[in-house]
Amino acid sequence: ATDGGDPPLETFTFSSNGDNGGFVYWLGTSGRRERFQNPQDRGRVRVTSSGLARGRESLLVARKREACWTTDAPDSWICLDLGRNRRLAPTHYTLCSGSPDPGFDVAKWALEGYDADRDAWINLHPGGRDPPPLASPWGVQTIPVDHKNKRWRYLRVHHTGRNTKGTYEMPICAWEFYGNLYSA
């Protein structure tokens, strides 16, 4: 859906890495009314992947540092499904490295939104440029997003090259999203 004139249900503003201002935190706390619980475990979002060699998909929304990475295959990805009734026009997202060891940096990736009308994944990095590498161990990085004046149900991190070890594994253990949330 395009970013129309209706007001957002909620706005998530980035203030600092690890803050409590993002969508995942909001969902896991029932709108900041409860203690955080994993929103996938509660059936509020769904995380999928091309396959994990270490960890599990629900870890991505658990807000914990735990070893987690995709299998060693080209074009690996992790995807967040916000659900059929939610859309996000993101402004920023945060990633946390899923590697406890140095030298396992994510070097090339894209944040993509799925455009059902075009049946295509669209790169949401401004100008399509690669962000700086996500350093290990446990590095955290927040990246601005160009949401293309659209609201997205599916957001994925797509590994577009090799990591600093020279493999296709993508070590990411947590993510957070900021922007405007809308009803679908």
Side-chain angles (χ1 to χ4, degrees):
T2 58
D3 198 359
D6 55 320
L9 298 173
E10 190 75 28
T11 297
F12 307 104
T13 304
F14 170 74
S15 62
S16 64
N17 291 334
D19 68 16
N20 293 335
F23 171 73
V24 172
Y25 181 81
W26 179 83
L27 205 58
T29 60
S30 298
R32 299 181 190 96
R33 294 187 308 269
E34 302 173 358
R35 187 169 176 231
F36 182 86
Q37 294 180 42
N38 186 312
Q40 175 152 316
D41 293 348
R42 298 174 87 181
R44 295 181 176 173
V45 292
R46 183 165 177 239
V47 180
T48 56
S49 73
S50 56
L52 294 179
R54 179 89 185 258
R56 60 197 183 287
E57 281 85 359
S58 64
L59 182 61
L60 276 289
V61 291
R63 294 177 57 98
K64 295 180 182 176
R65 286 188 174 162
E66 229 176 274
C68 184
W69 53 82
T70 62
T71 55
D72 186 6
D75 293 316
S76 58
W77 52 266
I78 52 174
C79 181
L80 178 70
D81 176 357
L82 279 71
R84 62 187 166 126
N85 297 322
R86 289 187 212 99
R87 300 295 182 270
L88 188 70
T91 58
H92 296 80
Y93 70 104
T94 301
L95 296 178
C96 179
S97 168
S99 173
D101 303 312
F104 194 5
D105 303 352
V106 182
K108 295 181 118 348
W109 78 90
L111 178 72
E112 298 172 333
Y114 181 70
D115 186 333
D117 294 336
R118 294 168 49 188
D119 189 27
W121 289 96
I122 308 301
N123 187 335
L124 302 182
H125 287 152
R129 295 182 301 276
D130 287 329
L134 179 62
S136 58
W138 311 125
V140 177
Q141 187 175 150
T142 299
I143 299 109
V145 173
D146 175 2
H147 58 74
K148 312 288 187 199
N149 294 317
K150 290 184 75 81
R151 301 167 182 178
W152 305 95
R153 173 180 175 174
Y154 300 98
L155 295 166
R156 80 172 180 179
V157 176
H158 177 204
H159 204 199
T160 58
R162 296 179 187 269
N163 60 43
T164 55
K165 285 183 7 181
T167 70
Y168 291 105
E169 297 158 302
M170 182 173 58
I172 296 175
C173 69
W175 56 12
E176 183 59 272
F177 294 90
Y178 303 88
N180 291 321
L181 179 68
Y182 298 91
S183 178

